[in-house]
């Protein structure tokens, strides 16, 4: 299939089904609970899902992905394609046209200059942009007039829908963030905690790691939306209390990511106050292996950076042995039931891009032991392996959550069975997934040997997601500890293949390259150890209408369409 066909046919001009509202704000308050509390409302300074999704109520992209994974316009009237002239015939540029009359929540006009500024903001070399992969291959952003945005690429860009597309890449208001570029980005607390946006809601108060209060945006482009006058976004606690607050007590209207055993959710649903909703996308629970040394004995500036390779995990045989010791089907059974599937892939979907690798589905304890023996790790008197006087001991961290702590306990036991001593650590999700460069406990800083979490990518094409693991995207002091390459994997051959994917148009060849990239960081190197392909399970109250669960973008992408069922 030729790329021209893809760009003409793959973009669905699907309109979001309208909901009849009497008037903006007529339905009072809506209450959302995320058991991982947002710590910032600027998605360019955090890779945490809870921060990105909370921000999506306020700041918006030009286009996003609907619940089927299809592109739909948001701040533009149509998606640019080769057919309508929005994508250049040689694929070296894409032209977006803003809707007429768009306003920021402060009443000032949205212009193409805001898009140009947003690109410069994220592409600033010392800014530590958490979404820099979205702007890979962008040469320039030009503004021929106030509504026209021309993104020019360094070469042909077969899939040009990355910059300004999806919840991870919204527009920022240039006037608000003009003094926040580069190293100053983290210093702009007022802007980062209360961005001026085009979304349905406006921040009235933000208590980081606790609660956000919002009101309807008086300048929202649809005069009948949102139906709710105010929104309370509560963060913190745990998945169980969030589920109860919607399904049993009815205290809240929407609970995100109920990472609970299936029988627990079913029991809660018997409360009759709400309804669980679910869907599979690209969310993978996985273990990241730190390729750098996180030892606290190292000086700051070298700790957990490429200057100091990991003394144990740099050995592929050790990493593979740790993976082989894990019983993934049992993890699925205990943690997710029908809402999970064992996986060896970082990219489990769409099917076109998913590698057929299933080797890791079968636990192999004896094989793991043999590999560790080959690597020179012999069992000591206490049952823990040693090599050159060093114990095979690892610090394993993740966020605080009942399912994740169950996983940690099981994995610790399986690793003990092959001679590995494991220290467990769990960190409150609002801190672990936060973007504070001063915190020692963020998943980006990675001051541990292995860590477990899950995330996914916007839309259905994995190019930017796989592009996150290039050498330059490793978090480090120079990037304010931001960056998508969490485990610090670095292979020039991988980087070259990412570049090749960026200029490959034929869909079958794109799939072939994507599978190869996926296998390079999973099967071939095991710097990433996938565990479970997770379905997203959330819940909404029976009195909340208009909810459409989206696993391809922000889960609460269509909050403007929510309404109270009388």
């Amino acid at each position: 299939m030729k790329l021209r066909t893809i760009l003409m046919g793959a973009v669905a001009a699907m309109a979001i089904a309208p909901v009849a509202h009497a008037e903006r704000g007529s339905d009072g308050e809506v209450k959302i609970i995320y058991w991982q509390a947002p710590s910032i409302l600027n998605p360019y300074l955090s890779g945490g899902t809870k921060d990105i999704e909370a921000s999506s109520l306020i700041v918006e992209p030009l286009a996003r992905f609907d619940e089927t994974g299809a592109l739909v316009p948001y701040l533009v009237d149509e998606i640019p394609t080769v057919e309508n002239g929005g994508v250049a015939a040689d694929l070296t540029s894409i032209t977006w046209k803003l809707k007429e009359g768009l306003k920021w929540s402060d009443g000032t006009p949205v212009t193409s200059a805001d898009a140009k500024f947003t690109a410069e903001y994220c592409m600033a070399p010392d800014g530590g942009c958490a979404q820099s992969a979205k702007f890979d291959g962008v040469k320039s952003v030009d503004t021929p007039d106030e509504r026209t945005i021309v993104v020019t690429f360094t070469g042909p860009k077969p899939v040009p829908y990355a910059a300004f597309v999806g919840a991870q890449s919204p527009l920022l208001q240039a006037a608000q963030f003009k003094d926040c570029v580069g190293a100053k980005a983290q210093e702009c607390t007022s802007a980062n905690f209360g961005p001026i946006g085009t979304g349905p809601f406006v921040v009235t108060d933000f208590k980081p790691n606790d609660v956000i209060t919002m009101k309807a945006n008086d300048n929202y482009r649809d005069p009948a939306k949102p139906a709710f006058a105010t929104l309370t976004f509560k963060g913190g606690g745990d998945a169980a209390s969030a589920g109860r607050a919607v399904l049993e007590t009815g205290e809240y209207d929407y609970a995100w990511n109920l990472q609970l055993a299936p029988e627990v959710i079913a029991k809660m649903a018997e409360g009759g106050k709400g309804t669980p909703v679910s869907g599979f996308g690209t969310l993978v629970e996985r273990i990241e292996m730190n390729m750098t040394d996180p030892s606290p004995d190292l000086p700051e500036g070298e700790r957990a950076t490429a200057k100091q390779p990991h003394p144990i995990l740099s050995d592929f045989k050790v990493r593979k042995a740790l993976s082989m010791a894990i019983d993934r089907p049992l993890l699925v059974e205990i943690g997710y039931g029908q809402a999970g599937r064992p996986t060896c892939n970082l990219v489990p979907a769409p099917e076109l891009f998913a590698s057929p690798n299933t080797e890791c589905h079968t636990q192999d304890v004896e094989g793991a032991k043999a590999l560790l023996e080959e690597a020179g790790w012999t069992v000591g008197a206490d049952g823990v392996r040693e090599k050159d006087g060093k114990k095979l001991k690892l610090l394993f961290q993740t966020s605080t959550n009942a399912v994740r702590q169950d996983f940690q306990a099981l994995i610790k036991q399986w690793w003990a069975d092959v001679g590995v001593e494991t220290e467990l650590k769990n960190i409150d999700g609002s801190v672990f997934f936060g973007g504070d460069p001063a915190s020692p406990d963020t998943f980006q800083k990675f001051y541990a040997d292995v860590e477990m979490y899950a995330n996914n990518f916007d839309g259905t094409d994995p190019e930017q997601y796989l592009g996150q693991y290039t050498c330059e995207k490793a978090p480090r002091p120079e990037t304010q500890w931001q960056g998508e390459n969490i485990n610090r994997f670095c292979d020039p051959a991988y980087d070259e293949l990412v570049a090749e994917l960026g200029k490959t148009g034929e869909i079958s060849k794109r799939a072939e390259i994507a599978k190869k990239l996926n296998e390079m960081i999973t099967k071939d190197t095991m710097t990433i150890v996938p565990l479970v392909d997770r379905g997203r399970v959330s819940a909404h109250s029976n009195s909340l209408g208009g909810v459409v669960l989206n696993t391809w973008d922000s889960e609460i992408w269509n909050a403007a369409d929510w309404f109270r069922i009388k």
Side-chain angles (χ1 to χ4, degrees):
M1 185 185 298
K2 298 298 182 182
L3 178 71
R4 183 179 295 269
T5 304
I6 299 168
L7 292 179
M8 289 179 182
V11 177
M14 171 183 167
I16 297 172
V19 176
H21 298 315
E23 60 181 293
R24 176 181 294 154
S26 60
D27 284 346
E29 181 186 25
V30 63
K31 299 176 72 176
I32 297 172
I33 185 166
Y34 271 45
W35 53 270
Q36 291 175 8
S39 55
I40 196 169
L41 292 174
N42 180 351
Y44 290 111
L45 296 183
S46 175
T49 301
K50 41 91 175 181
D51 297 330
I52 293 167
E53 298 203 349
S55 303
S56 74
L57 297 165
I58 307 152
V59 288
E60 299 178 307
L62 300 180
R64 62 189 346 152
F65 301 92
D66 69 11
E67 76 279 10
T68 72
L71 268 173
V72 290
Y74 256 60
L75 302 183
V76 295
D77 290 316
E78 65 176 353
I79 302 296
T81 64
V82 170
E83 183 180 42
N84 63 27
V87 174
D90 63 1
L91 310 177
T92 58
S93 69
I94 182 171
T95 300
W96 300 89
K97 193 80 169 181
L98 290 169
K99 288 178 179 287
E100 192 168 359
L102 279 178
K103 292 182 180 180
W104 292 104
S105 57
D106 65 358
T108 59
V110 179
T111 73
S112 55
D114 294 302
K116 181 178 176 67
F117 169 81
T118 300
E120 293 169 349
Y121 175 91
C122 188
M123 294 169 71
D126 53 351
C129 181
Q131 312 298 340
S132 60
K134 289 285 189 176
F135 293 88
D136 280 353
V138 173
K139 179 180 180 180
S140 65
V141 177
D142 298 306
T143 56
D145 59 54
E146 290 195 342
R147 290 177 54 208
T148 305
I149 302 158
V150 181
V151 181
T152 301
F153 305 108
T154 53
K157 192 76 168 176
V159 180
Y161 310 113
F164 315 125
V165 175
Q168 297 172 8
S169 190
L171 290 194
L172 298 180
Q173 189 194 57
Q176 185 182 32
F177 284 88
K178 61 183 173 59
D179 297 323
C180 307
V181 179
K184 296 181 180 179
Q186 293 281 353
E187 300 173 8
C188 293
T189 304
S190 177
N192 293 331
F193 286 4
I196 294 167
T198 58
F201 294 96
V202 177
V203 177
T204 55
D205 186 51
F206 178 38
K207 294 181 175 63
N209 304 327
D210 186 9
V211 66
I212 314 165
T213 55
M214 305 184 197
K215 67 176 183 178
N217 177 2
D218 292 335
N219 290 297
Y220 189 62
R221 57 190 172 274
D222 187 329
K225 298 179 183 179
F228 293 100
T230 60
L231 182 149
T232 299
F233 194 113
K234 175 63 179 165
D238 54 49
S241 59
R244 286 193 294 269
V246 171
L247 296 171
E248 292 183 355
T249 70
E251 181 184 359
Y252 282 83
D253 293 299
Y254 193 91
W256 163 83
N257 188 20
L258 298 185
Q259 199 172 350
L260 299 164
E263 62 270 18
V264 173
I265 296 174
K267 183 67 176 175
M268 287 181 180
E270 292 176 4
K273 298 288 187 178
T275 304
V277 287
S278 63
F280 276 95
T282 59
L283 187 67
V284 171
E285 191 79 18
R286 79 301 198 106
I287 290 174
E288 299 258 353
M289 303 277 182
N290 198 339
M291 301 303 291
T292 62
D293 191 348
S295 171
D297 297 332
L298 294 171
E300 289 297 321
E302 293 189 20
R303 184 183 183 189
T305 71
K307 296 174 184 177
Q308 298 286 348
H310 199 286
I312 297 173
L313 296 175
S314 294
D315 188 336
F316 168 73
K317 289 181 180 178
V318 174
R319 301 194 301 272
K320 184 170 183 179
L322 293 171
S323 176
M324 292 169 68
I326 297 171
D327 186 342
R328 288 166 176 81
L330 184 57
L331 291 179
V332 170
E333 180 183 339
I334 289 173
Y336 299 102
Q338 292 184 339
R341 302 181 283 218
T343 187
C344 307
N345 293 322
L346 180 64
V347 178
E351 185 177 354
L352 175 69
F353 294 103
S355 169
N357 177 32
T358 59
E359 178 183 315
C360 76
H361 289 194
T362 303
Q363 184 186 37
D364 186 359
V365 172
E366 294 307 313
K369 291 178 181 178
L371 261 185
L372 291 173
E373 290 286 341
E374 284 180 30
W377 292 93
T378 57
V379 179
D382 59 356
V384 178
R385 293 182 182 272
E386 302 175 359
K387 181 179 180 182
D388 300 329
K390 185 178 182 65
K391 294 276 190 182
L392 184 43
K393 181 178 179 180
L394 302 173
L395 174 60
F396 178 10
Q397 72 180 18
T398 189
S399 64
T400 304
N401 168 265
V403 172
R404 286 194 171 131
Q405 270 66 81
D406 286 346
F407 277 26
Q408 278 187 305
L410 285 167
I411 292 169
K412 177 178 180 175
Q413 182 57 56
W414 292 326
W415 286 352
D417 292 343
V418 299
V420 179
E421 182 179 348
T422 309
E423 177 186 350
L424 302 181
K425 179 179 181 180
N426 67 80
I427 302 161
D428 184 270
S430 61
V431 176
F432 186 64
F433 294 112
D436 183 358
S439 172
D441 291 324
T442 64
F443 80 117
Q444 300 102 322
K445 191 163 280 189
F446 205 170
Y447 280 177
D449 301 300
V450 296
E451 65 184 9
M452 179 172 61
Y453 63 93
N455 67 10
N456 59 347
F457 56 92
D458 287 344
T460 57
D461 189 279
E463 180 183 331
Q464 282 74 44
Y465 195 55
L466 291 165
Q468 294 177 353
Y469 288 90
T470 57
C471 299
E472 65 176 8
K473 293 189 175 65
R476 53 195 184 278
E478 301 81 49
T479 65
Q480 313 293 318
W481 290 105
Q482 290 290 353
E484 304 102 313
N485 184 354
I486 303 301
N487 61 48
R488 287 66 155 154
F489 165 80
C490 183
D491 183 350
Y494 184 91
D495 290 14
E496 289 175 8
L497 203 55
V498 167
E500 184 179 341
L501 178 61
K503 59 188 179 185
T504 299
E506 189 172 340
I507 192 66
S508 61
K509 290 182 179 178
R510 287 184 64 77
E512 180 183 335
I513 294 171
K515 289 176 183 177
K516 191 177 297 183
L517 286 167
N518 170 78
E519 291 182 0
M520 285 179 74
I521 50 179
T522 55
K523 182 179 180 180
D524 298 345
T525 65
M526 294 196 174
T527 53
I528 298 173
V529 176
L531 302 173
V532 181
D533 174 13
R534 281 177 47 195
R536 184 76 66 87
V537 181
S538 294
H540 65 83
S541 67
N542 292 333
S543 67
L544 182 63
V547 174
V548 178
L549 181 72
N550 190 337
T551 60
W552 305 104
D553 204 297
S554 168
E555 183 172 312
I556 49 178
W557 68 302
N558 76 326
D561 297 328
W562 292 0
F563 60 95
R564 184 67 67 202
I565 298 173
K566 307 299 184 183

